[in-house]
Amino acid sequence: MKLNKCLFLVIAFLTCFKSGIAQQYAIPHISEKYLEQHVSYLASDSLQGRGYFTENSGLEMAADYIRNYNENLALGFPGESYFQTFNLLANRLNKNNSFIKVFNKKKKEKAHLTELAVLNQESEIVDFSGEITFIGFGWKDEVTGYNDYHDLDLRDKIVIFSAGTPESFKEGFSQQWNNPQERKKTDEIFKAGAKAILLVTSPQDTDKKTFSQIWNWAERPRFSLEIEKKKDQSNLVIISPSGADAILGRKGKWENLLKRISKENKPNPFTIQNRSVQVQSTRIIETLESRNIIGIVEGADPQLKDECLVFMAHYDHLGVNENGEVFNGADDNASGTAALLEVARIFSEMTEKPRRSIVFLWVTAEEVGLIGSEFYSKNPVFPLHKTVACINLDMVGRVYEPRDSVWNRSPKLVKNFNELYVLANNYNPELKNITNSVFEKLGLLPDYSLPNSFFYTSDHYHFHRNEVPILNFSTGYTADYHRVTDTADRIRYDKMKKVAELCVLVGMAIANE
């Protein structure tokens, strides 16, 4: 009994010590003035949304601003450049060299279409031509026996068919794009040997909403660290009903064909006579020099200084829209970038440095695929197995307003002033104890309710997948998320101050534990 009692006391002592480890540090003097200065510059119109392919070099200006601040703080970095430079491959659609040409029997061009979206194009150029086989809705129903291409030889053919099914068209709801259904249809037809598919959006979608969404997705640039190995290209092209009419040679003919099939519930496949097409889609692949920024506070402990805690925020955003309006990205993520600058200042000015080293990491290319953090994870300044934790700040500058209720159905609706989302994995459960202790000290409430899908939505993903303990702090989605209204005047700098205080105290506890 005495032994068990002593053991209980030891366990209780250690539990109290651990839960209170973060309480021993004084609340740091975070400057709201500095936070506002940082956000005001980073989210200014002159930086044009810190995106790629803008008229000026706003993204580079932001990188230089962060780098210069690191230098003023005298943070360390191998080579003293503060930049971690890497090549980013950008793959963009060449609109001027992408088209569908329609020819008659005498090879005379009868139509020239520029509205096409080639999905998942991996090569620089897609180019094919030939006659076209019409197969209705491309629909096969094993229950009823309906089959739009029964007994047809589709090998090496270009086929054209409509989104939806005869039934959905008849009922008037084929305008609702059913992605799993269309994917299953195209997979089956490619398995049957078709060399290309022209998939036509529903004529019942009179506003061309579906086509516009697909077109915008296919048109946007794609980014990667390296060129993917070329695979056999499955030529899947999305066009609108007006494009199908141009191929058939008469306005309204496409919809009339579908009406007849759905009314009679009878397939009507045929090769389009006296018509052929040439389809070409070209993409431009170029190399962009991109830069992460890194500053280091070296640890004071001779053994533990070879381990590190990483603080991270992305500084890029969306650039400008087609109308020239700026996506200022004040909350996303000038707020996280600015908070991290202030946290770095506090650590740099400490007379007694933490035992472990602190890495401050500002990454680029988050908005185009988490690529800056991917590069760092493959080229870390401290080995990832020596990285005890990563704390990621992504959108930390807002407080709930009634207008934000547009996100009521999201699990990440922006929080009230004294609340904050915390995403934590299980690679070091003690991080939650430390975090909860600091939240209590600052009068804040943590919300750990985010589903696991959020591990994949920001830069902490590349640490999480490498089994590094992570904490992600965020205030949540506002009505201005990814809109041109995400401006500096909407930021709550008093909330940002709380987040920065949280980071310093949690960071000290982790670095000294």
Side-chain angles (χ1 to χ4, degrees):
M1 290 297 293
K2 290 182 179 180
L3 180 60
N4 288 341
K5 184 177 181 181
C6 290
L7 182 60
F8 171 79
L9 291 173
V10 169
I11 293 173
F13 170 76
L14 290 175
T15 302
C16 291
F17 174 77
K18 283 191 172 185
S19 65
I21 192 170
Q23 297 281 4
Q24 60 185 292
Y25 303 111
I27 297 175
H29 297 290
I30 302 297
S31 169
E32 287 186 39
K33 178 182 177 182
Y34 289 167
L35 292 172
E36 185 172 3
Q37 287 176 352
H38 296 320
V39 172
S40 296
Y41 175 74
L42 293 167
S44 62
D45 285 349
S46 61
L47 267 65
Q48 290 197 302
R50 309 185 306 279
Y52 292 96
F53 305 119
T54 56
E55 290 183 4
N56 67 15
S57 53
L59 186 61
E60 287 73 23
M61 291 166 64
D64 289 337
Y65 178 87
I66 299 167
R67 183 255 179 222
N68 292 339
Y69 197 79
N70 274 245
E71 186 174 44
N72 291 335
L73 297 179
L75 296 178
F77 180 73
E80 299 182 357
S81 70
Y82 296 99
F83 288 134
Q84 184 184 53
T85 304
F86 61 95
N87 289 331
L88 181 66
L89 294 178
N91 179 328
R92 293 190 290 162
L93 178 66
N94 182 355
K95 295 182 184 179
N96 296 327
N97 207 18
S98 299
F99 54 80
I100 297 178
K101 292 181 179 180
V102 183
F103 301 95
N104 64 11
K105 186 177 181 180
K106 296 181 179 180
K107 301 300 180 184
K108 182 179 179 180
E109 186 176 325
K110 302 299 291 182
H112 185 99
L113 311 176
T114 57
E115 287 190 339
L116 70 155
V118 180
L119 298 191
N120 303 322
Q121 182 176 339
E122 296 173 352
S123 55
E124 291 186 51
I125 184 167
V126 165
D127 192 352
F128 59 89
S129 58
E131 295 182 334
I132 307 173
T133 300
F134 170 78
I135 56 170
F137 294 89
W139 180 241
K140 183 169 67 173
D141 189 336
E142 295 178 358
V143 176
T144 64
Y146 181 97
N147 191 334
D148 272 319
Y149 50 97
H150 180 66
D151 286 340
L152 283 183
D153 184 2
L154 298 183
R155 287 176 296 179
D156 205 33
K157 298 285 178 51
I158 302 172
V159 298
I160 187 169
F161 61 88
S162 174
T165 67
E167 183 66 24
S168 68
F169 188 87
K170 185 177 180 180
E171 297 297 327
F173 55 85
S174 68
Q175 79 277 7
Q176 300 173 3
W177 182 267
N178 185 329
N179 199 59
Q181 175 180 277
E182 301 307 326
R183 191 169 187 174
K184 181 179 180 181
K185 287 160 61 177
T186 56
D187 285 348
E188 289 289 333
I189 292 166
F190 278 127
K191 285 179 182 178
K195 75 174 180 181
I197 291 174
L198 303 182
L199 174 54
V200 187
T201 56
S202 173
Q204 293 175 342
D205 183 8
T206 54
D207 295 330
K208 294 174 67 172
K209 181 179 179 181
T210 298
F211 179 79
S212 296
Q213 289 176 337
I214 296 173
W215 163 255
N216 290 334
W217 179 85
E219 181 188 21
R220 66 184 181 182
R222 303 167 190 168
F223 298 85
S224 62
L225 281 178
E226 55 190 24
I227 298 177
E228 296 181 2
K229 294 181 180 179
K230 292 183 179 179
K231 305 173 184 176
D232 293 335
Q233 178 72 44
S234 296
N235 298 315
L236 175 57
V237 184
I238 310 297
I239 64 174
S240 66
S242 59
D245 282 342
I247 292 173
L248 291 168
R250 189 169 72 244
K251 185 177 181 181
K253 187 172 182 179
W254 179 258
E255 185 172 9
N256 288 334
L257 283 172
L258 300 180
K259 284 180 178 178
R260 186 184 311 161
I261 293 172
S262 61
K263 181 179 181 180
E264 298 175 358
N265 197 34
K266 183 179 179 181
N268 181 31
F270 61 87
T271 297
I272 300 174
Q273 297 298 315
N274 303 322
R275 295 296 235 198
S276 63
V277 297
Q278 180 194 0
V279 180
Q280 181 172 297
S281 177
T282 306
R283 300 190 73 89
I284 302 168
I285 298 177
E286 54 192 307
T287 301
L288 307 175
E289 185 180 274
S290 295
R291 300 181 292 182
N292 294 332
I293 306 100
I294 301 174
I296 299 172
V297 170
E298 187 177 37
D301 188 287
Q303 281 78 40
L304 293 182
K305 70 178 183 179
D306 291 331
E307 298 179 1
C308 79
L309 163 67
V310 173
F311 280 104
M312 177 173 59
H314 76 89
Y315 69 92
D316 65 303
H317 195 50
L318 302 177
V320 298
N321 65 17
E322 58 187 9
N323 299 320
E325 296 174 298
V326 177
F327 291 99
N328 300 94
D331 190 36
D332 186 14
N333 186 36
S335 65
T337 299
L340 193 49
L341 288 169
E342 185 64 358
V343 172
R345 181 185 69 82
I346 295 297
F347 274 96
S348 71
E349 294 176 355
M350 289 180 179
T351 54
E352 185 177 344
K353 303 299 184 188
R355 299 172 69 194
R356 291 182 175 87
S357 295
I358 309 290
V359 174
F360 300 97
L361 172 62
W362 292 266
V363 294
T364 188
E366 189 269 356
E367 298 287 3
V368 297
L370 315 181
I371 298 174
S373 54
E374 178 186 359
F375 183 82
Y376 178 87
S377 71
K378 295 176 179 178
N379 303 273
V381 293
F382 287 78
L384 292 186
H385 71 272
K386 293 282 190 177
T387 302
V388 296
C390 171
I391 299 177
N392 181 36
L393 305 181
D394 194 351
M395 299 188 300
V396 294
R398 295 291 293 273
V399 173
Y400 175 78
E401 302 172 21
R403 58 193 290 273
D404 298 320
S405 59
V406 294
W407 288 95
N408 274 347
R409 295 185 179 181
S410 168
K412 203 177 180 183
L413 171 65
V414 64
K415 287 292 189 181
N416 295 318
F417 180 83
N418 66 332
E419 299 173 316
L420 199 68
Y421 289 107
V422 183
L423 186 68
N425 57 22
N426 294 320
Y427 294 121
N428 183 356
E430 182 58 25
L431 290 189
K432 280 190 177 181
N433 294 333
I434 291 172
T435 303
N436 291 340
S437 177
V438 177
F439 266 83
E440 182 181 357
K441 182 171 185 172
L442 296 176
L444 297 173
L445 297 174
D447 184 338
Y448 292 97
S449 67
L450 291 178
N452 287 342
S453 59
F454 282 90
F455 283 119
Y456 307 92
T457 60
S458 188
D459 290 301
H460 51 258
Y461 164 69
H462 290 292
F463 290 83
H464 171 69
R465 72 182 181 89
N466 283 288
E467 300 185 357
V468 175
I470 65 106
L471 292 170
N472 171 231
F473 297 140
S474 177
T475 49
Y477 295 138
T478 71
D480 305 302
Y481 174 69
H482 279 197
R483 296 183 179 273
V484 295
T485 51
D486 183 9
T487 51
D489 59 305
R490 297 186 181 277
I491 296 296
R492 286 285 299 269
Y493 297 99
D494 50 350
K495 181 63 176 278
M496 283 183 62
K497 179 180 179 181
K498 283 288 187 182
V499 175
E501 291 171 347
L502 172 72
C503 288
V504 173
L505 295 177
V506 171
M508 284 296 293
I510 294 173
N512 285 322
E513 183 183 357

